[in-house]
């Protein structure tokens, strides 16, 4: 059990690192392209890459670990609405809070700004862009998973219906008395000896009667 939990944690952490690196790479490429117009200062770019990774790592960690927790607590198939609303609202709040934490580390820890001064200088406008992005991304992702959960539920329902029909058919087959088959064979044998024309019609009549019995049951 402990080994499985450790393996899961390693997989989640690996996912966090992978997503963080992708985000860092994308933003850094954009920054370098923008800097081409005014001349690239590589020390500034390297520093910017490091800061970008910290932002990406903190925000990604908060969202991925939160979604892993919700997935274990609320099932998309059985508790769809709770999973949707807790996931969407929680992701938005966590993104804004983790962005604030990243800004604090950036300004106070790395650039040595006084914490009290940093808090006094903070403005809600610093968070509006991140809030808008968080809402859009959360809406798209949760809409996708919500749709996927609905499709999975429909597939399961169809499998249940098919399984029920198959079980009913098997039950009807079991209900058929084997003695009927032997009696029918005896009757057919007698007819072959006495009336061949009637013997030829007998299998068709027997099949029709069998279908009627299945329908009535």
């Amino acid at each position: 059990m402990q080994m499985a939990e450790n393996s899961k944690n390693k997989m989640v952490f690996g996912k966090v690192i992978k997503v963080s690196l992708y985000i860092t790479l994308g933003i850094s490429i954009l920054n370098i392209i923008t800097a081409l117009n005014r001349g690239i200062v590589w020390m500034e770019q390297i520093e910017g890459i490091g800061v970008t990774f910290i932002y990406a790592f903190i925000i990604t960690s908060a969202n991925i670990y939160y979604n892993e927790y919700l997935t274990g607590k609320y099932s998309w198939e059985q508790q769809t609405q709770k999973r949707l609303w807790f996931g969407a609202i929680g992701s938005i709040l966590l993104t804004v809070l983790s962005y604030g934490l990243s800004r604090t580390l950036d300004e106070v820890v790395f650039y040595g700004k006084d914490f009290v001064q940093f808090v006094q200088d903070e403005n809600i406008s610093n968070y509006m862009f991140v809030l808008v992005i968080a809402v859009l991304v959360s809406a798209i992702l949760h809409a996708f998973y919500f749709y996927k959960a609905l499709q999975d539920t429909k597939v399961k329902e169809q499998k249940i219906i098919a399984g029920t029909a198959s079980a009913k058919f098997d039950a009807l087959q079991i209900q058929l008395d084997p003695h009927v088959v032997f009696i029918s064979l005896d009757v057919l044998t007698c007819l072959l000896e006495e009336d061949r024309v009637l013997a030829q019609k007998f299998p068709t009549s027997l099949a029709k009667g069998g279908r009627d019995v299945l329908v009535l049951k």
Side-chain angles (χ1 to χ4, degrees):
M1 185 69 178
Q2 187 64 36
M3 289 180 64
E5 188 68 25
N6 291 336
S7 177
K8 181 182 177 181
N9 289 334
K10 287 180 180 179
M11 288 178 62
V12 174
F13 184 74
K15 185 177 180 181
V16 170
I17 294 294
K18 189 176 180 180
V19 173
S20 300
L21 288 173
Y22 283 147
I23 294 173
T24 302
L25 179 62
I27 294 175
S28 298
I29 290 173
L30 291 175
N31 289 336
I32 292 173
I33 292 173
T34 304
L36 288 173
N37 297 326
R38 52 184 172 80
I40 296 178
V41 179
W42 285 108
M43 288 304 297
E44 290 182 1
Q45 293 301 321
I46 293 172
E47 184 178 312
I49 290 171
V51 171
T52 300
F53 178 78
I54 292 171
Y55 276 77
F57 180 79
I58 293 175
I59 295 172
T60 302
S61 297
N63 280 279
I64 288 180
Y65 278 105
Y66 177 66
N67 279 288
E68 286 292 324
Y69 167 76
L70 283 184
T71 299
K73 191 173 180 62
Y74 301 114
S75 168
W76 273 108
E77 289 79 14
Q78 298 176 359
Q79 298 166 296
T80 305
Q81 290 190 356
K82 286 185 177 180
R83 181 64 180 82
L84 177 64
W85 289 110
F86 280 119
I89 296 172
S91 292
I92 293 169
L93 292 176
L94 276 175
T95 298
V96 175
L97 290 174
S98 55
Y99 177 74
L101 176 61
S102 302
R103 279 184 57 81
T104 304
L105 289 174
D106 183 21
E107 297 288 336
V108 176
V109 176
F110 292 104
Y111 290 102
K113 191 172 184 178
D114 181 69
F115 178 75
V116 176
Q117 187 64 43
F118 166 74
V119 173
Q120 290 176 350
D121 292 341
E122 278 295 86
N123 193 297
I124 193 171
S125 61
N126 295 330
Y127 298 83
M128 290 306 298
F129 177 74
V130 173
L131 179 61
V132 171
I133 296 298
V135 170
L136 289 175
V137 172
S138 181
I140 292 171
L141 289 177
H142 284 85
F144 168 76
Y145 283 110
F146 179 71
Y147 174 77
K148 185 174 180 296
L150 288 179
Q151 295 303 311
D152 290 343
T153 301
K154 288 181 180 178
V155 170
K156 288 182 180 179
E157 288 177 354
Q158 293 300 319
K159 287 182 179 179
I160 291 172
I161 292 172
T164 302
S166 177
K168 287 182 178 179
F169 180 74
D170 291 341
L172 289 173
Q173 285 183 317
I174 293 171
Q175 289 176 11
L176 292 176
D177 191 347
H179 294 293
V180 174
V181 178
F182 294 112
I183 292 171
S184 300
L185 290 174
D186 288 338
V187 172
L188 181 60
T189 303
C190 294
L191 287 175
L192 286 171
E193 295 176 356
E194 299 178 5
D195 190 340
R196 290 185 175 275
V197 175
L198 188 59
Q200 290 176 353
K201 295 180 179 179
F202 179 76
T204 303
S205 300
L206 182 63
K208 183 178 182 304
R211 285 196 297 268
D212 292 340
V213 170
L214 288 176
V215 171
L216 289 173
K217 288 186 179 183

